[in-house]
Amino acid sequence: MTTAPALAALLVAAAAGCGGGAEASQPSVTVGDAAPIDVEVADTAGERAVGLMGRAEVRPGTGMVFVYPEPVSNQFWMGNVEVPLSIAWVLDDTVVGLSEMQPCPAADETCPRYSPETPYTHAVETTGGTFTAAQVQVGDAVVMSGLDVDVSPQ
């Protein structure tokens, strides 16, 4: 029978063309004139609490975006963070604060805390020095792509 090989070839071709639908694009954030950053998304309280703690490195062009359900004034604690990080706090797609955060591998109260002077709904962390080198400033625009999140306060 010649139908079995033809059917098998048709099924292989269909499976290759399907691929289960379109793959989700890598979320990215562009802050001011800095290069786009491929980000992990922290949109639950647990993910936001851990952030980039314990990472031996944060490669250039990568980072994390912290997403909050409403404006907050939370501080970022550098305990258990092994690498320097740049952070931009964002409200209404605009930078409202910036800091270069220093690592603090210890996990005690001597580790620094950072926060902007105004509430924010997003915080973008990336390799230390990134936003300074790109001369990002408060008031710069922020573009977020591929962030399909359902923000949870929990």
Side-chain angles (χ1 to χ4, degrees):
M1 283 188 128
T2 59
T3 57
L7 181 59
L10 181 62
L11 290 174
V12 168
C18 278
E23 290 185 28
S25 64
Q26 169 66 48
S28 69
V29 178
T30 302
V31 179
D33 289 334
I37 302 163
D38 290 339
V39 293
E40 297 173 48
V41 178
D43 59 355
T44 68
E47 292 168 338
R48 292 186 296 260
V50 173
L52 294 173
M53 287 182 184
R55 308 278 177 106
E57 76 171 328
V58 176
R59 290 186 336 270
T62 67
M64 181 172 285
V65 61
F66 298 77
V67 183
Y68 296 87
E70 57 191 39
V72 296
S73 296
N74 300 348
Q75 295 180 326
F76 276 65
W77 180 57
M78 290 296 284
N80 288 325
V81 178
E82 300 177 21
V83 296
L85 298 171
S86 282
I87 187 167
W89 289 280
V90 179
L91 180 66
D92 298 328
D93 299 322
T94 303
V95 175
V96 296
L98 294 157
S99 283
E100 292 295 336
M101 304 188 300
Q102 298 307 308
C104 188
D108 58 34
E109 291 305 311
T110 64
C111 292
R113 296 174 188 269
Y114 299 86
S115 62
E117 295 179 12
T118 183
Y120 57 92
T121 54
H122 297 80
V124 182
E125 288 183 340
T126 190
T127 310
T130 298
F131 298 141
T132 299
Q135 299 181 336
V136 173
Q137 298 179 12
V138 169
D140 282 356
V142 177
V143 177
M144 300 188 194
S145 303
L147 269 68
D148 184 24
V149 298
D150 182 21
V151 182
S152 168
Q154 301 299 326

